[in-house]
Amino acid sequence: MIFVSVKNTNFNNFISMIENRTFDLRQNVMIKEHNKSVNSDIVIIAIDDATYEYILDKYGEWPLPRDVYAKLVDYIEMQHPKSIAFDLMFVKSMKSNAKADQMLIDMMKKYDNVFVSMNLDDQSPDLRTPPVLPEDLSIGLENKSANVSFDLQTYTNCRKILDGILNYSSNIGMINVTRADDGILRKMPVLVKYQDKYYPQLGLKVGMDYLNIKPKKLVIDAHSNLILGDRKIYLDKDGSAILNWYGPHETYEYIPMYKVIQILNGKHPDIGLDFNNKIVYFGTTASSLFDIKTVPSSKIYPGVEIQATYVNNIIDNNFIRRLDRSFTIFFGVLLAIITICIVMNESSAFVGSLAAFSVYLLYVFGTYYAMKYFNLWIDIIYPLLLAIITFISAYIVKYLIKSRDFEQQYMLATTDGLTDLYNHRYFQEQMRMMVDASKRYETSFSLIILDIDFFKKFNDTFGHQAGDAVLRQVAQTLKKNIRSTDIACRYGGEEMSIILPKTDHEVALFTANKICARVSSKDFRLPNGRETSVTISLGVSTFPVDGQTAEELIEAADKRLYNAKNNGRNQVGE
């Protein structure tokens, strides 16, 4: 009911936001426990704040002239790195420094392990005509999953990088990102779509190069897994991979780029940098260069380290797999069933509550360890929400049942089983309460006591079963001829009584005479099918005229009842 009612509502979005935060919390706890370590084969050459200041002092401008990057690549390539990746977009130079741009282009032609980035967007064609990209930048895709769609990763325009790179190198990856509604980046697309073609992410290309995987087309199986050799990367419904985070920013080996530039220029001693067989990422970390994002492990996280995390997940096969909604429903129903069993079988509300919430706590710990050891994201909020609603509902039902049982027990304790009138004990309690209330508020009430005439003789003649039938039918006649506020009781044997709240003597006499007439005119059916008639004698007393206590009022009504019997029966005694 919950899953159906909240579908496509703001409430569902709110719950999803909280669920995302539970993912962040689990990730941060794992980071603090130091159970995850980054891959030592990934090195980041950072354009940090110090490097940005150095560039402005030495070169007088940003962006940095492209020939500097070419020289840096030549220096790093001497140590035979696995690959070099630029989380930088080499778009057309603002100052048209063609010579520096050409050095960068020549560098790309020289090395086949250098990767650069580009970005797709939805810019208006009035501002920028959507370019046609080279065929070898795209990759084929066979999507066998009914759950994965790239609609949210489809773009209408592209900001081209230098034509010399674009037309020569296929080592160009996209750097589009995916943020949740709360602005936090938890996952990254594996592919983006443009002009009906699929283009791999930069991190995906770098990771496949590291693993020597060079497919002609990518395959997504029926279970939403992207197949990369012997690896399976689970994709969310928008075609993104959920990243497993390794720590706050600067988790990887960071080398400020200005130090490498100084080594090239002979103004800094060689500090023994080791790039052999490593992935070397270039990217900005300076806050003034605006490539800072918020991720589960940090509010300030450089884009280049997101790329490094992406590649790290590919190499270590360490992406997070989120279990689909059917598992969420299963765990929710399971917690609900356990909750019902606890609540209904535990007599103590405190112990039952403690046991139920202990189960919920165990479930939360279970989801944490599932992520820690198996990279599984099991939803917490919806199952707990269902369990807590079940917990509340179960206790409401339980106490309604208890209340009904109490009412039933109370009815059994206060009601005569034969006539369904209140019993003698209840009559005495009500009389005392009525006296106290009438004294406090200075009101009157009346009492009628009645007796079935010749009832002993009737029993001797027709039998006790017939007598019981007559008692029941007389009691029903009383109920039908009194007010809802009046209290009809079985006083004992064949005697019955009626308490009439806020009733004076005249009204009570009228009621007594009406009941007397109704009984005498009624035909009473006996168990053998025969019918007979009976009569009753009645006595009436009224507070405070006839007494100040319950005993005095009962005695007064009783005397008038016997006067009725002595004066011929079938009447109200004076």
Side-chain angles (χ1 to χ4, degrees), residues 109-128:
K109 294 179 180 180
K110 183 178 179 180
Y111 303 108
D112 63 0
N113 65 339
V114 179
F115 295 81
V116 295
S117 58
M118 192 162 62
N119 190 63
L120 300 178
D121 57 33
D122 293 314
Q123 189 59 261
S124 170
D126 296 335
L127 178 65
R128 183 203 312 141

Side-chain angles (χ1 to χ4, degrees), residues 308-574:
T309 302
Y310 192 178
V311 175
N312 201 152
N313 276 207
I314 293 175
I315 296 172
D316 295 346
N317 197 21
N318 205 29
F319 286 99
I320 295 294
R321 177 184 181 88
R322 185 170 188 176
L323 295 186
D324 61 29
R325 183 55 60 89
S326 61
F327 285 95
T328 302
I329 296 173
F330 169 77
F331 287 121
V333 171
L334 180 62
L335 287 179
I337 292 173
I338 294 173
T339 298
I340 291 172
C341 292
I342 291 172
V343 171
M344 292 304 176
N345 290 293
E346 179 52 56
S347 58
S348 169
F350 174 77
V351 175
S353 302
L354 188 62
F357 282 95
S358 296
V359 170
Y360 305 157
L361 192 61
L362 286 173
Y363 175 74
V364 172
F365 277 113
T367 63
Y368 167 73
Y369 287 109
M371 185 173 290
K372 179 177 179 179
Y373 293 113
F374 304 104
N375 291 342
L376 293 178
W377 178 353
I378 301 175
D379 282 356
I380 292 178
I381 302 303
Y382 270 129
L384 286 186
L385 182 63
L386 178 60
I388 291 171
I389 290 175
T390 303
F391 174 82
I392 295 171
S393 302
Y395 264 110
I396 291 174
V397 171
K398 182 176 182 178
Y399 281 103
L400 284 175
I401 293 172
K402 278 191 173 182
S403 176
R404 187 183 66 182
D405 290 344
F406 175 80
E407 289 177 359
Q408 185 176 7
Q409 292 296 325
Y410 183 74
M411 183 181 70
L412 291 173
T414 59
T415 305
D416 175 64
L418 176 63
T419 61
D420 204 27
L421 300 178
Y422 289 110
N423 59 24
H424 185 80
R425 178 191 297 176
Y426 186 82
F427 166 74
Q428 294 291 349
E429 290 176 355
Q430 291 299 311
M431 282 295 293
R432 286 192 291 271
M433 292 171 60
M434 199 65 66
V435 169
D436 292 341
S438 296
K439 286 180 178 179
R440 182 179 301 114
Y441 299 109
E442 297 182 352
T443 58
S444 61
F445 78 94
S446 295
L447 169 66
I448 300 174
I449 293 180
L450 61 97
D451 184 282
I452 299 175
D453 296 331
F454 302 114
F455 189 70
K456 185 178 182 301
K457 183 178 178 181
F458 185 91
N459 275 337
D460 293 339
T461 303
F462 297 101
H464 287 284
Q465 288 187 348
D468 290 346
V470 168
L471 283 173
R472 283 193 293 269
Q473 292 174 66
V474 169
Q476 291 172 4
T477 304
L478 295 189
K479 287 183 176 182
K480 291 178 180 178
N481 289 277
I482 60 176
R483 301 168 302 185
S484 60
T485 56
D486 297 337
I487 303 169
C489 307
R490 185 179 181 186
Y491 190 77
E494 71 273 22
E495 283 189 293
M496 302 177 190
S497 61
I498 307 170
I499 302 172
L500 298 89
K502 298 181 181 179
T503 303
D504 61 22
H505 197 70
E506 293 300 321
V507 174
L509 282 175
F510 175 81
T511 301
N513 280 295
K514 180 180 68 171
I515 293 171
C516 182
R518 293 290 168 81
V519 172
S520 64
S521 64
K522 180 178 175 59
D523 292 329
F524 291 87
R525 183 175 295 275
L526 303 181
N528 58 10
R530 293 177 56 189
E531 290 185 349
T532 187
S533 61
V534 296
T535 60
I536 58 175
S537 299
L538 307 91
V540 179
S541 63
T542 302
F543 176 91
V545 177
D546 297 315
Q548 294 291 319
T549 65
E551 291 77 10
E552 291 174 352
L553 292 168
I554 293 170
E555 185 179 356
D558 220 23
K559 286 182 179 179
R560 287 165 183 162
L561 166 63
Y562 282 102
N563 285 340
K565 285 184 175 292
N566 292 332
N567 290 327
R569 295 180 171 81
N570 192 25
Q571 60 182 283
V572 179
E574 295 295 333

Side-chain angles (χ1 to χ4, degrees), residues 220-265:
I220 301 173
D221 67 16
H223 302 292
S224 303
N225 297 306
L226 177 69
I227 308 301
L228 286 184
D230 60 350
R231 287 166 166 74
K232 291 183 178 181
I233 300 175
Y234 171 77
L235 301 184
D236 210 358
K237 59 184 179 181
D238 63 353
S240 295
I242 304 171
L243 299 180
N244 210 339
W245 301 89
Y246 299 94
H249 61 88
E250 297 188 8
T251 305
Y252 293 88
E253 180 184 354
Y254 264 76
I255 302 171
M257 194 170 75
Y258 81 90
K259 291 185 178 181
V260 186
I261 296 174
Q262 286 179 337
I263 292 172
L264 284 176
N265 295 333

Side-chain angles (χ1 to χ4, degrees), residues 268-305:
H268 194 290
D270 193 330
I271 54 178
L273 300 177
D274 179 18
F275 299 118
N276 181 48
N277 205 37
K278 292 190 176 183
I279 298 172
V280 182
Y281 253 104
F282 281 85
T284 61
T285 64
S287 57
S288 56
L289 295 180
F290 306 110
D291 191 24
I292 303 298
K293 299 172 176 65
T294 300
V295 300
S297 61
S298 178
K299 293 182 179 180
I300 302 173
Y301 208 79
V304 65
E305 192 161 351

